[in-house]
Amino acid sequence: MKKIIAWDLGTGGSKASLYTEDGTCIEKMFVSYDTFYPHQGWHEQKPEDWWNAIVKSTKALIEKSGVDKEDITCCGISGHSLGVVCIAEDGMLLNPSTPIWSDGRAVKQADKFFESYDQNTWYMKTGNGFTPAFYTAFKLMWYRDMQPELFEKIYKVIGTKDYVNFRMTGRLCTDPSYASGSGVWNLNDWEYDIELIDAMGFSQEIFPEVIPSTGIVGQILPEVAEEMGLSKNVQVVCGGVDNSCMALGAMAYKEGRVYNSLGSSSWIAVSTMEPVLDIKAKPYVFTHVVPGYFASALCVTAGGTAFRWLRDQMGREFIREGQEKGVDEYDLMTAEAEKSPIGANGLLFNPSLGGGMPMNKSYNLRGAFLGMDLMHTREDIIRSCMEGVTMGLRSCLDELKKITPIGDEVLLVGGGSKSKFWRQIYADIYKITVLKSDVDQQAAALGAAACAAVGTGLWDSFDKIDELHTIEERVRPIPEHVEKYDEIMEMYLKATDMLCDWGDYVNEKRNNMGGQR
């Protein structure tokens, strides 16, 4: 039976998964890499780390599975969004460390651009509802202003997963889903917006060729196949941005279907045939990997990352205990959290460690524990973190409900869906039924595998996705819990606005002192 390799190139690491041609995942392997924070608002990774993780995870996957490499006929990839990987004309990587999607260094460049170009017009064209500084075009402006010598050498700027495809095939290209996060993509026209590119002062040639998400980039280079332990006959399919691949893998590839991704960043998204746009809430929209559809979402930028930060900074003994006992340290943490009551004894956590979103009063919003008292325990701190992430997502859900129909059930995918205890918190705070399927953390990888399967003719269509999900649990909200959380939610929203004001005050003080913005 033919096999498919799918890579989920995420913020925290790369996961390689091996699928049979009927869509069954038979093995997976994860390799982590670091994110670096050299200045406030700067979030960087090294493309060479991505490549090394892809190679290492693939070789380990083949070795562990025992599969004959000749059975692997194609591959697809999902990649974290808004990448700005600068490539010289000779194919060399120009920036060893590159800003990732959550990097906000280009605030001044975005602000300056919108002095002469209406921001709402830009948003309604592009659907780019993150903080504008996150998007590729504004990061390019930052390079042009701050590192002009590097900027002058740029031949093409490509995304995260596009860099992996380039290393595998030598071809520089992207797909519509990834291009839609460039800051210069016209959603309605499904192509680059030449007027926007001109207004930003870029050459049109700096942006890569666009082919379908199911398009074949090329055949893997012989030397790369040897390095990765693959057959030289593997066909490399373009794949897509993580939001869209995950939507496909989570069954959100038809009108009105909703899912909740609980990864490093966490979001709630709906699939529609028209982009969901709103000037006030500013949902961010990606072109779907499924032709004719869009994935529109609102997010907490540091969802799983906030919980991971808590683990790294305050839960190192959980890491040690997990290693000693062979258990997941996050399971140990959630077991502690269960000892704390609803509301964590009055301790409130805002998870905005990565900054605010356009739906907030200010990008300068930063996370905080509020109401901390000598009575509070580690159990309270962990539970408040879990509740805070969930309340942040509840605010996203409430905003989406105002502008598009949302059903009374939502499918959870990603690492945050593993905990039964946390699933109940989601149901109680969301006030709707949450579903868990057996696909779980494989949604993005399954979406990438599906692109490869359709692109190489192994599948006739994406409809097979529905057959691959088995609903394992339906978690319904508990009425008495809902009542308590509704009261806490009011406090959460008030605290968020207060933290926005505080962030603006601190940012102004820092600028007056000549500090880093």
Side-chain angles (χ1 to χ4, degrees), residues 83-102:
V84 56
V85 183
C86 301
I87 304 296
E89 192 167 3
D90 62 2
M92 296 300 293
L93 181 67
L94 287 171
N95 44 349
S97 292
T98 184
I100 61 169
W101 68 272
S102 55

Side-chain angles (χ1 to χ4, degrees), residues 420-493:
K420 185 177 181 66
F421 172 62
W422 206 342
R423 290 197 295 271
Q424 187 63 60
I425 292 176
Y426 286 118
D428 294 338
I429 291 179
Y430 290 174
K431 301 195 292 187
I432 60 175
T433 299
V434 301
L435 310 178
K436 180 186 181 300
S437 84
D438 55 347
V439 169
D440 201 10
Q441 297 181 72
Q442 287 296 111
L446 178 57
C451 286
V454 171
T456 58
L458 292 177
W459 295 3
D460 294 331
S461 72
F462 293 118
D463 290 340
K464 191 173 182 62
I465 289 284
D466 287 2
E467 303 170 15
L468 301 175
H469 281 260
T470 299
I471 301 301
E472 296 180 332
E473 185 181 29
R474 281 182 164 83
V475 185
R476 293 175 174 82
I478 299 171
E480 52 267 35
H481 293 184
V482 169
E483 185 176 352
K484 292 178 181 178
Y485 277 127
D486 274 347
E487 293 181 2
I488 299 169
M489 190 69 199
E490 290 183 25
M491 293 187 284
Y492 174 87
L493 294 173

Side-chain angles (χ1 to χ4, degrees), residues 138 158 213 280 297 348 370 393 411:
F138 298 105
I158 57 175
S213 304
K280 182 176 180 291
L348 194 66
L370 297 101
L393 285 165
L411 177 69

Side-chain angles (χ1 to χ4, degrees), residues 138-449:
F138 298 105
K139 292 169 183 169
L140 272 178
M141 290 181 184
W142 184 91
Y143 277 119
R144 186 172 60 194
D145 291 347
M146 305 305 294
Q147 297 184 13
E149 291 183 1
L150 182 149
F151 180 81
E152 288 299 318
K153 297 176 183 177
I154 298 174
Y155 173 62
K156 298 290 181 185
V157 59
I158 57 175
T160 57
K161 60 94 181 176
D162 303 319
Y163 178 72
V164 174
N165 286 341
F166 172 57
R167 289 289 296 266
M168 286 194 292
T169 67
R171 183 179 179 185
L172 288 164
C173 64
T174 191
D175 76 296
S177 72
Y178 210 100
S180 64
S182 64
V184 292
W185 181 263
N186 191 306
L187 287 176
N188 291 321
D189 293 343
W190 283 68
E191 63 183 13
Y192 292 122
D193 191 292
I194 304 306
E195 185 265 340
L196 262 179
I197 293 174
D198 290 344
M200 291 180 172
F202 296 127
S203 164
Q204 298 171 22
E205 285 71 31
I206 200 171
F207 298 100
E209 169 194 13
V210 178
I211 67 173
S213 304
T214 54
I216 296 174
V217 180
Q219 197 158 295
I220 192 168
L221 296 170
E223 62 273 21
V224 175
E226 184 176 355
E227 180 183 8
M228 300 179 76
L230 295 172
S231 162
K232 62 182 180 180
N233 297 317
V234 170
Q235 291 180 299
V236 179
V237 173
C238 198
V241 74
D242 54 0
N243 301 70
S244 297
C245 283
M246 189 172 289
L248 174 57
M251 299 188 290
Y253 65 101
K254 293 184 177 179
E255 184 70 29
R257 292 190 178 184
V258 182
Y259 79 101
N260 187 178
S261 169
L262 303 170
S264 298
S265 63
S266 300
W267 63 80
I268 296 176
V270 58
S271 175
T272 54
M273 294 187 73
E274 296 292 335
V276 177
L277 300 168
D278 181 78
I279 292 297
K280 182 176 180 291
K282 286 190 171 63
Y284 60 89
V285 184
F286 285 97
T287 301
H288 213 304
V289 293
V290 179
Y293 283 87
F294 299 89
S296 307
L298 288 170
C299 85
V300 174
T301 59
T305 301
F307 202 50
R308 180 177 179 176
W309 168 85
L310 184 68
R311 180 203 68 177
D312 292 345
Q313 303 304 324
M314 303 181 193
R316 294 175 188 174
E317 66 181 83
F318 292 120
I319 299 175
R320 289 194 296 269
E321 184 180 350
Q323 291 171 344
E324 291 170 1
K325 296 182 178 179
V327 297
D328 190 329
E329 62 264 27
Y330 290 115
D331 291 341
L332 298 173
M333 291 175 68
T334 54
E336 286 280 290
E338 288 188 69
K339 301 173 185 176
S340 177
I342 287 175
N345 286 312
L347 184 61
L348 194 66
F349 176 70
N350 186 290
S352 303
L353 306 186
M357 292 292 290
M359 63 178 284
N360 302 124
K361 281 176 64 177
S362 173
Y363 170 71
N364 293 318
L365 169 65
R366 291 296 184 272
F369 286 99
L370 297 101
M372 187 167 282
D373 190 275
L374 290 171
M375 68 171 284
H376 286 123
T377 64
R378 182 173 64 178
E379 291 94 330
D380 296 328
I381 292 172
I382 298 171
R383 178 161 191 148
S384 71
C385 182
M386 299 171 77
E387 290 178 337
V389 169
T390 310
M391 285 187 281
L393 285 165
R394 157 74 185 275
S395 65
C396 296
L397 180 63
D398 288 347
E399 290 298 326
L400 283 173
K401 283 181 174 180
K402 294 176 185 177
I403 51 181
T404 192
I406 299 289
D408 57 1
E409 293 185 336
V410 60
L411 177 69
L412 304 182
V413 297
S417 68
K418 292 194 326 182
S419 165
K420 185 177 181 66
F421 172 62
W422 206 342
R423 290 197 295 271
Q424 187 63 60
I425 292 176
Y426 286 118
D428 294 338
I429 291 179
Y430 290 174
K431 301 195 292 187
I432 60 175
T433 299
V434 301
L435 310 178
K436 180 186 181 300
S437 84
D438 55 347
V439 169
D440 201 10
Q441 297 181 72
Q442 287 296 111
L446 178 57

